[in-house]
């Protein structure tokens, strides 16, 4: 008997707590519940019905009109308002003890009372890019500043929150591409001799760290492996006189951006025109690279690449001249894949004079005491380009 009484008391206590919790939740929400059935009813009449049920004033301006069909049963007031106004594209805003309903349009008479302003500072994209990507629905509410890279939206709170959500989706750091470039020079005679079999020749012998020479059967030379491994292999091959590494820089370029790189030196030359006074001019000689990468798939990259090489040459007339070679190409590559570009030649031409002092400069007999020899040399420029996609979020 006592256990039964204790059980009944426990049930009563639980029910009391449930009732108190429900009452507290209703008091915290402070939002009345409504029930109604509308069939092809006028929206304004439906709003009046909500006023009678909830005891909360709802003011609708002259733009609010139309019909609604809806079945509501114990629905919170604000949810009921959203459902009734949704079909007509109307919005509402709550003030202290009443609601204002109007068309969410700057041309509406009540819009100034419905709207508020919010300034959003963009981090990764420009205002023009944002406005191109966002739905045109937001255009009437927006003002933008290119200098501050910010957008100000004046709209109802609901529209503002939706707009901020859309902006956060597109205002994110874009992917970047790391480009490693290994610039090497190789004898043109070797290129002409081996042609397409050049890389087989380069694979024949690799000098190991212990000073011994290994053949291709024991050490694999992969031109399409990691950039670090390729650089290591090339440094091993550099010990052979036919190959020389000129530079191995890296640069990071934003997706769809443009990166430039220059490896060389700036020199000052004296120009002596025949009909003008001499002047100084600064010139850059070396290897230049302009690259514009674009990610076109999960692991695929399109490279618009323009390498060029310039160097001084000395001609027969003793005048210093600059020789330049350029290539422009659009290539497709995979993430972390290494490509080889060739086709640029470095030509050196100079006169090598050997002579006996004094006697080699005497007219008529100097040819017996001197030797003039023209030396021509050519080296092929090979560029190993490794691309890697970098996701800033990671």
């Amino acid at each position: 008997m006592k256990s039964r009484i204790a059980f009944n008391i426990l049930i009563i206590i639980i029910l009391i707590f449930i009732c108190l919790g429900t009452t507290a939740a209703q008091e915290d929400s402070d939002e009345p519940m409504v029930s109604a059935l509308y069939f092809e009813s006028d929206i304004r009449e439906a709003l009046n019905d909500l006023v009678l049920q909830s005891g909360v004033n709802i003011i609708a301006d002259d733009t609010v009109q139309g019909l609604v069909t809806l079945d509501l049963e114990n629905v919170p007031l604000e949810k009921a308002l959203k459902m009734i106004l949704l079909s007509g594209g109307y919005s509402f805003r709550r003030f202290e003890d009443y609601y204002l309903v109007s068309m969410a349009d700057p041309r509406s008479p009540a819009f100034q009372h419905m709207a508020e302003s919010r300034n959003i500072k963009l981090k990764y994209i420009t205002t023009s890019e944002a406005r191109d990507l966002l739905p045109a629905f937001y255009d009437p509410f927006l003002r933008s500043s290119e200098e501050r890279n910010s957008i100000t939206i004046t709209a109802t709170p609901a529209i503002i929150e939706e707009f901020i959500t859309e902006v956060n989706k597109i205002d994110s750091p874009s992917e970047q591409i790391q480009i490693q470039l290994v610039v090497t020079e190789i004898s043109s005679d070797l290129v002409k001799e081996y042609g397409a079999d050049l890389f087989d020749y380069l694979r024949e012998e690799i000098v190991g760290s212990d000073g011994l020479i290994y053949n291709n059967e024991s050490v694999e030379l992969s031109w399409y492996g990691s950039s670090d491994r390729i650089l290591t292999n090339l440094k091993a091959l550099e010990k052979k006189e036919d190959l020389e590494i000129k530079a191995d820089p890296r640069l990071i370029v934003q997706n769809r951006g443009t990166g430039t790189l220059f490896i060389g030196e700036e020199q000052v030359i004296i120009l002596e025109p025949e009909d003008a006074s001499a002047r100084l001019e600064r010139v850059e000689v070396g290897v230049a690279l302009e690259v514009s990468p674009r990610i076109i798939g999960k692991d695929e990259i399109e490279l618009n690449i323009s390498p060029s090489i310039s160097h001084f040459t000395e001609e027969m007339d003793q005048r210093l001249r600059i020789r330049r070679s350029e290539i422009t190409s659009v290539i497709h590559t995979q993430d972390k894949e290494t490509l080889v570009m060739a086709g640029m030649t470095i030509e050196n031409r100079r006169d090598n004079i050997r002579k006996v002092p004094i006697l080699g400069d005497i007219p008529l007999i100097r040819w017996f005491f001197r030797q003039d020899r023209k030396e021509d040399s050519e080296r092929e420029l090979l560029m190993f380009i490794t691309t890697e996609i970098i996701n800033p979020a990671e």
Side-chain angles (χ1 to χ4, degrees):
M1 184 68 179
K2 292 182 179 179
S3 60
R4 183 177 180 85
I5 294 173
F7 178 77
N8 292 334
I9 293 174
L10 179 61
I11 294 296
I12 294 172
I13 293 174
I14 293 174
L15 292 174
I16 291 173
F17 274 106
I18 292 175
C19 293
L20 290 175
T22 304
T23 304
Q26 290 178 347
E27 291 178 353
D28 290 339
S29 63
D30 195 25
E31 187 176 350
M33 310 295 285
V34 295
S35 299
L37 176 62
Y38 305 112
F39 179 76
E40 297 294 326
S41 302
D42 186 271
I43 289 181
R44 303 181 73 90
E45 293 181 1
L47 295 177
N48 292 335
D49 183 54
L50 296 184
V51 172
L52 295 176
Q53 288 194 55
S54 64
V56 178
N57 290 321
I58 301 175
I59 303 173
D61 70 1
D62 294 339
T63 63
V64 179
Q65 55 185 344
L67 301 177
V68 61
T69 299
L70 200 59
D71 185 7
L72 304 175
E73 184 175 354
N74 292 327
V75 177
L77 177 60
E78 289 197 359
K79 183 178 179 180
L81 271 174
K82 290 179 182 178
M83 297 173 70
I84 292 175
L85 301 176
L86 181 63
S87 61
Y90 302 108
S91 298
F92 68 89
R93 183 176 182 182
R94 180 176 179 176
F95 292 89
E96 294 180 358
D97 57 352
Y98 67 95
Y99 290 90
L100 175 62
V101 178
S102 175
M103 176 72 72
D105 191 322
R107 295 170 295 182
S108 172
F111 182 76
Q112 58 180 328
H113 305 292
M114 296 280 295
E116 62 182 44
S117 296
R118 190 88 60 89
N119 184 265
I120 301 171
K121 180 74 174 179
L122 300 176
K123 297 179 181 179
Y124 304 104
I125 60 176
T126 64
T127 55
S128 58
E129 290 173 335
R131 299 194 68 164
D132 288 340
L133 295 173
L134 290 167
F137 164 77
Y138 295 108
D139 286 346
F141 310 109
L142 303 181
R143 296 292 183 271
S144 58
S145 172
E146 295 287 347
E147 295 180 357
R148 298 182 179 181
N149 200 37
S150 62
I151 295 179
T152 299
I153 178 171
T154 302
T156 61
I159 292 178
I160 291 177
E161 294 304 320
E162 294 175 359
F163 176 76
I164 292 176
T165 302
E166 294 290 340
V167 170
N168 290 336
K169 291 179 182 178
I170 61 175
D171 188 27
S172 58
S174 61
E175 293 177 305
Q176 297 174 321
I177 297 94
Q178 177 179 265
I179 299 174
Q180 179 171 5
L181 180 68
V182 181
V183 182
T184 65
E185 288 183 11
I186 188 170
S187 170
S188 293
D189 294 334
L190 196 64
V191 175
K192 294 177 182 178
E193 179 179 356
Y194 287 91
D197 298 328
L198 173 63
F199 293 110
D200 292 334
Y201 167 79
L202 294 176
R203 288 188 178 95
E204 286 179 1
E205 292 181 349
I206 302 178
V207 180
S209 58
D210 54 1
L212 300 177
I213 296 179
Y214 298 88
N215 58 32
N216 190 36
E217 295 178 355
S218 58
V219 180
E220 179 185 3
L221 178 59
S222 174
W223 299 103
Y224 296 91
S226 68
S227 58
D228 293 334
R229 179 168 185 189
I230 289 175
L231 182 59
T232 301
N233 292 335
L234 289 174
K235 286 182 177 179
L237 293 171
E238 189 178 22
K239 295 181 179 180
K240 307 177 70 170
E241 296 182 356
D242 292 327
L243 178 66
E244 180 183 0
I245 298 177
K246 305 299 292 185
D248 59 318
R250 299 186 184 209
L251 71 156
I252 295 179
V253 185
Q254 190 173 8
N255 183 29
R256 300 178 182 271
T258 299
T260 58
L261 178 68
F262 177 75
I263 308 166
E265 58 182 350
E266 184 182 69
Q267 296 191 13
V268 179
I269 61 175
I270 302 175
L271 301 180
E272 298 181 352
E274 297 180 357
D275 55 348
S277 58
R279 71 177 189 274
L280 298 178
E281 184 170 324
R282 296 181 182 272
V283 294
E284 291 182 341
V285 289
V287 177
L289 176 69
E290 181 176 306
V291 58
S292 299
R294 183 170 68 97
I295 301 174
I296 57 178
K298 182 179 180 181
D299 297 317
E300 188 174 359
I301 304 170
E302 180 187 83
L303 282 179
N304 193 322
I305 186 167
S306 300
S308 66
I309 180 172
S310 58
H311 61 281
F312 288 111
T313 60
E314 189 175 359
E315 303 292 346
M316 291 295 293
D317 56 5
Q318 305 297 317
R319 291 187 178 182
L320 197 61
R321 298 183 179 180
I322 299 176
R323 185 176 298 273
R324 183 184 301 274
S325 299
E326 296 180 348
I327 294 178
T328 299
S329 180
V330 178
I331 54 180
H332 290 251
T333 180
Q334 297 294 319
D335 183 30
K336 299 180 182 179
E337 184 180 55
T338 298
L339 302 174
V340 183
M341 292 192 69
M344 292 182 290
T345 304
I346 303 174
E347 298 180 357
N348 290 320
R349 298 178 181 177
R350 62 179 181 177
D351 294 331
N352 189 7
I353 301 176
R354 297 180 180 179
K355 62 182 178 179
V356 177
I358 301 176
L359 296 178
D361 294 325
I362 299 176
L364 298 180
I365 66 171
R366 64 181 180 178
W367 303 110
F368 298 99
F369 301 97
R370 65 183 288 165
Q371 181 181 11
D372 294 350
R373 185 173 60 181
K374 179 180 179 181
E375 294 183 353
D376 293 343
S377 64
E378 290 186 357
R379 294 179 71 82
E380 190 80 15
L381 191 73
L382 296 181
M383 302 177 67
F384 296 82
I385 304 168
T386 305
T387 56
E388 180 179 356
I389 299 174
I390 300 176
N391 190 337
E394 298 177 355

